């Protein structure tokens, strides 16, 4: 949470269109429908809630979460917000005085402690058909239940009963993935393959109050879950909610879309590349000096979970195959904190044929990316950075990188 997604998140999410899917809904049995109506009615009576939330995320194939955090959230129904219908503030789970982010129905705020900066998104810098916020737990699960009851999409549902809870599984059989931002939004196929478009949502519902306490979302490219703990309902009022009062003093406030450091992209051009020694997927230490024999070295700063980064893999594999190692070598450095099994799974799943390493904080800081991704650094034989490229576009970025490499090789 709180790490910049930059081009990665913007590119993928900019592809999302609010277009209804056509499909044949598989008939839901009357008992399930009746029970879900009761669940929806219970959710509709929640005007506010406070709770701890255990959030986890996996790459498909991972057995260990690549992301796991406990946070404390205050959630409010916001009738004036017609986009999401809810407002919230997120606080640190181990220190509920520590602000992590929030949304008040007008703006979304995200904090970056490493830069002592808060970024405000008023939803005018990007032309999206939805507000780019992560809806809070009860708002999110209510949207899923409402979708099941109202949709004409091709879906299947399965409700199972256990001693003290019920388990509901929703599978959406459409040719586009479905995400929930206050309501269902449908994702067309991006320019890079995300695999099977089937969307799976699971809910765990307590028999004591017929309310959900856990959900799990699974797509072919990512899996996430949220477990709601110690929830207290309708004990706070939105009339007392002031998002800005949670901002820590002394932090710079910046509007989304404004560059904090306009020289970031060119600061390192013409300079010696930062030195490093990092671990690969097998915990073997690999140093910059291990690539001394190549005339050109391409370093990509990447992230597991970054869509454009994943889209660049076939191109980087081709670079590695098409040039002799003494001419060109390729290394990717994962900057979003994934290590060990997560790296092994990612390298194997995507058949990565070049060196793939896990960054440390010193490397991320030295390359001055602010954790925005992807970044490409093209180095000459003396390991001077000759070009820095931010973002990735199939063909366009490929041609630019190849042109620079061939120019360096011709000297």
């Amino acid at each position: 949470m709180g790490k910049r997604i930059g081009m990665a998140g913007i590119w993928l999410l900019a592809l999302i269109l609010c277009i209804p899917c056509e499909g044949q809904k598989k008939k839901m049995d009357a008992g399930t429908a009746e029970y879900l109506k009761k669940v929806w009615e219970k959710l509709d009576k929640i005007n506010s809630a406070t709770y701890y939330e255990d959030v986890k995320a996996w790459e498909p194939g991972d057995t260990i979460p690549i992301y796991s955090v406990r946070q404390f959230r205050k959630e409010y129904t916001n009738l004036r917000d017609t986009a999401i219908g809810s407002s919230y503030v997120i606080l640190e789970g181990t220190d509920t005085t520590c602000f992590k982010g929030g949304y008040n129905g007008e703006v979304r705020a995200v904090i970056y402690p490493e830069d002592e900066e808060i970024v405000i998104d008023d939803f005018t810098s990007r032309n999206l058909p939805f507000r780019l916020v992560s809806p809070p737990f009860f708002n999110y699960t209510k949207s899923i239940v409402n979708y099941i009851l109202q949709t004409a999409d091709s879906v299947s549902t399965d409700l199972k009963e256990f001693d003290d809870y019920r388990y509901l599984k929703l599978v959406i059989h459409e040719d586009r993935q479905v995400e929930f931002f206050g309501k269902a939004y449908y994702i067309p196929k991006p320019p890079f393959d995300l695999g099977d478009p089937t969307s799976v949502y699971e809910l765990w519902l307590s028999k004591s109050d017929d309310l959900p306490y856990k959900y799990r979302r699974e797509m072919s490219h990512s899996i996430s879950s949220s477990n709601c703990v110690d929830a207290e309902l309708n004990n706070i009022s939105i009339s007392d909610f002031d998002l800005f009062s949670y901002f820590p003093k002394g932090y710079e406030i910046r509007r989304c879309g404004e560059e904090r450091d306009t020289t970031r992209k060119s600061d390192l051009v013409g300079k010696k590349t930062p030195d490093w020694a990092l671990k690969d997927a097998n915990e073997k230490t690999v140093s910059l000096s291990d690539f001394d024999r190549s005339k050109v070295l391409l370093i990509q700063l990447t992230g597991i979970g970054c869509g454009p980064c994943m889209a660049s893999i076939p191109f980087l594999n081709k670079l590695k195959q098409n040039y002799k190692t003494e001419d060109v070598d390729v290394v990717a450095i994962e900057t979003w904190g994934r290590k060990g099994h997560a790296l092994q799974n990612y390298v194997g799943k995507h058949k990565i044929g070049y060196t793939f390493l896990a960054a440390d904080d010193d490397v991320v800081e030295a390359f001055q990316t602010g954790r925005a991704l992807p970044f490409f650094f093209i180095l000459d034989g003396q390991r001077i950075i000759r070009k820095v490229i931010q973002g990735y576009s199939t063909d366009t970025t490929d041609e630019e990188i190849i042109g620079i490499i061939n120019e360096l090789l011709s000297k």
Side-chain angles (χ1 to χ4, degrees):
M1 296 290 287
K3 290 185 178 179
R4 303 173 194 273
I5 60 172
M7 293 292 293
I10 293 171
W11 186 8
L12 177 58
L13 291 169
L15 296 170
I16 299 179
L17 301 177
C18 179
I19 304 173
C21 287
E22 298 179 358
Q24 185 67 39
K25 181 179 179 180
K26 295 184 179 180
K27 188 174 181 180
M28 181 168 50
D29 68 83
T32 298
E34 182 179 356
Y35 174 70
L36 291 182
K37 287 178 183 177
K38 181 168 69 171
V39 171
W40 186 91
E41 290 171 356
K42 290 286 189 77
L43 287 165
D44 194 47
K45 292 179 180 178
I46 298 176
N47 296 315
S48 67
T50 60
Y51 48 87
Y52 290 93
E53 189 174 20
D54 294 323
V55 181
K56 296 180 180 181
W58 298 261
E59 282 287 303
D62 276 342
T63 57
I64 301 172
I66 58 174
Y67 176 83
S68 180
V69 67
R70 167 164 281 206
Q71 58 193 27
F72 183 76
R73 196 188 288 251
K74 297 180 181 180
E75 172 180 350
Y76 306 85
T77 297
N78 187 346
L79 298 178
R80 291 190 294 182
D81 174 26
T82 58
I84 305 298
S86 184
S87 293
Y88 63 86
V89 62
I90 301 173
L91 306 171
E92 179 67 52
T94 56
D95 179 2
T96 57
T97 65
C98 183
F99 175 72
K100 302 294 289 183
Y103 169 69
N104 66 2
E106 296 178 356
V107 299
R108 169 180 177 257
V110 179
I111 191 169
Y112 298 101
E114 65 272 18
D115 296 324
E116 294 191 346
E117 176 183 78
I118 296 172
V119 176
I120 300 292
D121 188 355
D122 63 1
F123 313 106
T124 61
S125 64
R126 288 167 288 188
N127 184 25
L128 298 175
F130 59 92
R131 289 196 167 178
L132 185 54
V133 301
S134 300
F137 184 88
F138 291 107
N139 174 282
Y140 190 71
T141 53
K142 181 181 175 182
S143 295
I144 295 172
V145 172
N146 187 63
Y147 170 83
I148 297 172
L149 293 171
Q150 301 293 331
T151 188
D153 292 348
S154 176
V155 304
S156 58
T157 56
D158 182 26
L159 181 65
K160 294 181 178 179
E161 188 167 339
F162 296 89
D163 289 343
D164 56 356
Y165 70 93
R166 292 181 177 88
Y167 165 80
L168 174 69
K169 184 175 184 178
L170 164 69
V171 182
I172 305 173
H173 307 280
E174 292 292 316
D175 62 355
R176 289 165 288 176
Q177 295 174 341
V178 177
E179 297 276 13
F180 293 94
F181 296 93
K183 62 179 180 180
Y185 289 85
Y186 302 81
I187 309 176
K189 294 180 180 179
F192 45 89
D193 185 17
L194 288 180
D196 186 349
T198 301
S199 307
V200 180
Y201 291 89
E202 299 166 276
L203 297 181
W204 285 258
L205 305 111
S206 173
K207 283 187 177 180
S208 64
D209 56 14
D210 296 314
L211 289 174
Y213 61 88
K214 179 181 177 180
Y215 72 76
R216 183 178 183 271
R217 160 199 167 277
E218 181 173 350
M219 308 293 187
S220 62
H221 66 290
S222 68
I223 303 168
S224 59
S225 73
S226 173
N227 191 16
C228 180
V229 181
D230 295 336
E232 296 186 13
L233 307 180
N234 300 325
N235 62 343
I236 52 177
S237 172
I238 194 171
S239 63
D240 299 323
F241 175 51
D242 178 9
L243 177 63
F244 299 97
S245 69
Y246 290 94
F247 290 7
K249 294 180 180 180
Y251 273 54
E252 177 186 350
I253 298 177
R254 179 170 61 84
R255 183 175 176 270
C256 183
E258 295 176 349
E259 286 290 340
R260 183 176 187 269
D261 181 359
T262 57
T263 63
R264 172 177 288 160
K265 296 180 186 178
S266 58
D267 274 352
L268 295 176
V269 174
K271 298 180 180 178
K272 194 86 170 178
T273 187
D275 197 8
W276 42 262
L278 303 170
K279 300 287 188 179
D280 66 10
N282 297 312
E283 297 296 321
K284 177 185 175 183
T285 299
V286 179
S287 302
L288 175 63
S289 59
D290 293 331
F291 300 89
D292 278 350
R293 63 175 177 161
S294 65
K295 298 175 183 176
V296 177
L297 179 63
L298 175 64
I299 299 177
Q300 181 199 43
L301 264 63
T302 186
I304 294 177
C306 161
C309 300
M310 183 173 67
S312 70
I313 293 173
F315 167 66
L316 297 179
N317 275 335
K318 286 182 180 179
L319 274 185
K320 180 67 175 174
Q321 295 167 3
N322 292 345
Y323 288 90
K324 296 178 181 179
T325 300
E326 56 265 31
D327 288 331
V328 179
D329 213 339
V330 179
V331 59
I333 301 177
E334 209 287 332
T335 65
W336 281 358
R338 321 312 193 203
K339 301 183 185 299
H341 183 270
L343 266 67
Q344 293 175 13
N345 178 54
Y346 192 75
V347 169
K349 178 181 178 182
H350 297 286
K351 298 179 174 60
I352 293 175
Y354 46 90
T355 303
F356 199 87
L357 305 173
D360 56 28
D361 290 339
D362 290 340
V363 166
V364 175
E365 182 177 353
F367 277 98
Q368 305 175 16
T369 64
R371 299 188 191 273
L373 296 174
F375 267 86
F376 300 87
F377 297 82
I378 304 175
L379 287 54
D380 65 16
Q382 287 69 50
R383 297 308 178 242
I384 303 297
I385 297 175
R386 294 305 178 188
K387 184 70 175 180
V388 178
I389 299 172
Q390 180 179 3
Y392 181 76
S393 176
T394 305
D395 297 332
T396 303
T397 307
D398 299 358
E399 292 175 3
E400 183 179 6
I401 290 175
I402 290 173
I404 296 166
I405 288 174
N406 288 340
E407 181 180 350
L408 290 173
L409 289 177
S410 67
K411 291 182 178 180

